[in-house]
Amino acid sequence: MLRRHNRKTVLTAAALMATTLLLTACQEGGADSGSESKGASTSASASDSDAGGKVGDGEKGTDTAEGLSGQGSDSRTAGKGVTGKRSGTVSYMAPGKYMVTGKDNDRQAFFVSEDTEIQGAGKICGDANGQAATPCTEEELEAAAKKGFGASVELKDGVAVSIVEDHADSGAGGDASGLFSGKLGYMAPGKYTLTGDGPERAFFTSTDTTVNGAGWICGERTKITDCTEEELEAAAKKGSVAVVVEIKDGVAVTIDEEHN
């Protein structure tokens, strides 16, 4: 009876030990499993975070690129403006910025640069009766523009390439008036000579001078064509162009090419 009781006690103790070992193993396994799960979760979170960071950086980079692209586009369009020749009254707007107002109140704003050629004939600078135009400074241009003066302005992308003061606006030319004919000659920008039967006569052109060509100054022999100052100057430099010039106070009103 005693032996059987001892055996039962041993068996019970063994069962308790086995249960304890099993529980311990489960707890350790659970801890490991939780650790692994936690580690996997942490790793996944880190991976997601890294991925999110990369995407964010990528999006940032795209925004930056677009911003630079936009700035580049603005930079490329900056400075673009009117190209061509404008004639009229030049007035001051702001440092380096001016306005030329032509016929019918046609207004065009423009800028000057350090490369702008400024030629005066008495109002910007220089002598109204001088044979050649006088190079002027931007300070002289600004002072004259605040009062206003007539000129021809050649523009490229909104910036003045040259500003040539109108001789007629300066009161140059004296009192010579009438209709004269002869060979056209060149003296200086806006100033020409006429050689005929009498003495050589000098005269100026203005923004209002009408130049009619018939094949030599410009156009064709079969019709009369309105010519530009540039075409008149080029023809005068070549010489041998016969013209009839109507002059008022030393300034040409019209220059008509004679059929040669």
Side-chain angles (χ1 to χ4, degrees):
M1 206 48 198
L2 180 61
R3 187 180 295 173
R4 187 178 297 172
H5 176 75
N6 290 338
R7 184 179 177 190
K8 194 181 280 188
T9 301
V10 171
L11 289 173
T12 300
L16 287 171
M17 186 175 291
T19 301
T20 302
L21 291 172
L22 180 61
L23 289 172
T24 303
C26 287
Q27 288 175 356
E28 289 176 353
D32 292 343
S33 176
S35 176
E36 289 174 3
S37 175
K38 188 176 180 182
S41 176
T42 304
S43 176
S45 297
S47 176
D48 291 344
S49 176
D50 289 344
K54 288 178 182 177
V55 170
D57 292 343
E59 289 173 351
K60 251 184 183 179
T62 302
D63 292 342
T64 302
E66 287 175 356
L68 289 174
S69 175
Q71 289 174 3
S73 175
D74 291 342
S75 178
R76 284 192 294 271
T77 56
K80 287 189 176 180
V82 173
T83 296
K85 193 168 185 179
R86 296 287 187 276
S87 298
T89 301
V90 175
S91 56
Y92 175 82
M93 294 184 70
K97 188 175 183 180
Y98 299 83
M99 177 80 73
V100 56
T101 304
K103 295 179 179 178
D104 300 322
N105 203 34
D106 179 24
R107 303 170 68 192
Q108 178 62 56
F110 65 91
F111 295 96
V112 296
S113 73
E114 59 183 12
D115 296 324
T116 300
E117 182 182 355
I118 306 168
Q119 298 181 6
K123 283 204 169 182
I124 306 177
C125 72
D127 181 6
N129 293 308
Q131 289 191 353
T134 304
C136 307
T137 66
E138 187 173 341
E139 288 75 14
E140 291 171 323
L141 171 68
E142 182 175 312
K146 287 178 178 178
K147 299 176 182 178
F149 63 89
S152 294
V153 183
E154 184 179 349
L155 302 173
K156 183 176 181 182
D157 294 334
V159 180
V161 176
S162 65
I163 301 173
V164 181
E165 183 183 333
D166 189 342
H167 289 79
D169 190 59
S170 303
D175 297 326
S177 298
L179 196 64
F180 306 93
S181 62
K183 298 290 185 181
L184 182 68
Y186 175 80
M187 292 185 70
K191 189 171 186 179
Y192 299 85
T193 59
L194 195 61
T195 306
D197 295 333
E200 183 178 81
R201 183 179 301 278
F203 66 92
F204 294 102
T205 58
S206 75
T207 54
D208 295 324
T209 300
T210 300
V211 182
N212 298 314
W216 286 82
I217 301 176
C218 74
E220 303 173 0
R221 290 176 57 86
T222 56
K223 62 180 181 179
I224 301 299
T225 305
D226 186 19
C227 305
T228 65
E229 178 81 21
E230 289 79 4
E231 290 170 325
L232 175 68
E233 182 175 308
K237 286 178 178 179
K238 292 178 181 178
S240 300
V241 180
V243 293
V244 176
V245 184
E246 181 185 352
I247 299 176
K248 183 178 180 181
D249 297 331
V251 179
V253 177
T254 58
I255 300 175
D256 294 310
E257 179 187 330
E258 289 189 301
H259 291 280
N260 293 301

